[in-house]
Amino acid sequence: MRERAGVLIIRNGRVALIERHTQGRRFWAIPGGGVKPGETVADAAHREAEEELGVPVNLGALRVRIDHRERDDSIQRQWYFEATVHSDAIRVVGPEIESSQRGTYRAVWMELDDVEVEVTHPVAVARLISLQRGEWPRDVVEIDES
């Protein structure tokens, strides 16, 4: 099973997202990426967040776990942690900026009221962000899309 880890950062009524342009499409993504061999999901979430946001990130509690069926019928488990940053000056600094074949990446702050759920990946997490507005339930939200 492949794993992915990301962060949910809400600050001053805004959420940190990655704006993507690729193959003529524009969409947003929750900061995160693949878990490397030997890496914990928390370590991956922290590493990916700092690569994609360019600022120190403080990882908090695990908030969401999704089992997502990929196009090839495999299951990808996704982990999303609440996190904080102490700066609004976010910018992509990781390997994404060197990958022009995969389109463009830009770290942005988006007002919670402006989140376009259907074009923010993963949609299930975007929907939760829109509904929860930074107030997460005590227990981990588990979503089965398999």
Side-chain angles (χ1 to χ4, degrees):
M1 175 184 300
R2 292 182 317 138
E3 292 183 297
R4 181 176 182 80
V7 294
L8 307 166
I9 299 174
I10 297 173
R11 178 179 163 91
N12 301 325
R14 301 176 301 166
V15 60
L17 297 173
I18 304 302
E19 180 182 11
R20 294 283 322 273
H21 289 268
T22 184
Q23 300 174 351
R25 292 182 340 140
R26 179 182 182 205
F27 61 95
W28 289 265
I30 308 298
V35 178
K36 294 180 179 179
E39 188 175 46
T40 68
V41 293
D43 288 343
H46 189 259
R47 175 185 51 77
E48 286 285 344
E50 289 194 351
E51 286 177 1
E52 292 189 353
L53 300 174
V55 295
V57 174
N58 298 310
L59 210 58
L62 176 65
R63 294 298 181 195
V64 182
R65 190 197 85 201
I66 301 175
D67 284 344
H68 175 74
R69 184 169 303 279
E70 296 287 294
R71 289 184 184 141
D72 66 2
D73 235 18
S74 66
I75 302 298
Q76 182 184 74
R77 180 158 286 169
Q78 303 174 8
W79 308 86
Y80 292 92
F81 294 83
E82 187 172 16
T84 58
V85 295
H86 297 290
S87 172
D88 285 337
I90 59 176
R91 70 197 187 295
V92 175
V93 297
E96 290 83 1
I97 61 173
E98 299 168 5
S99 180
S100 60
Q101 292 177 321
R102 294 178 51 202
T104 62
Y105 294 74
R106 186 170 70 100
V108 298
W109 288 106
M110 184 176 287
E111 296 290 330
L112 289 170
D113 291 335
D114 295 337
V115 173
E116 296 180 60
V117 171
E118 298 304 317
V119 290
T120 303
H121 299 283
V123 171
V125 177
R127 192 170 290 118
L128 284 172
I129 289 170
S130 184
L131 291 171
Q132 298 295 332
R133 305 186 66 75
E135 300 296 323
W136 298 99
R138 226 170 49 130
D139 296 328
V140 175
V141 176
E142 294 184 6
I143 301 169
D144 186 352
E145 297 179 336
S146 61

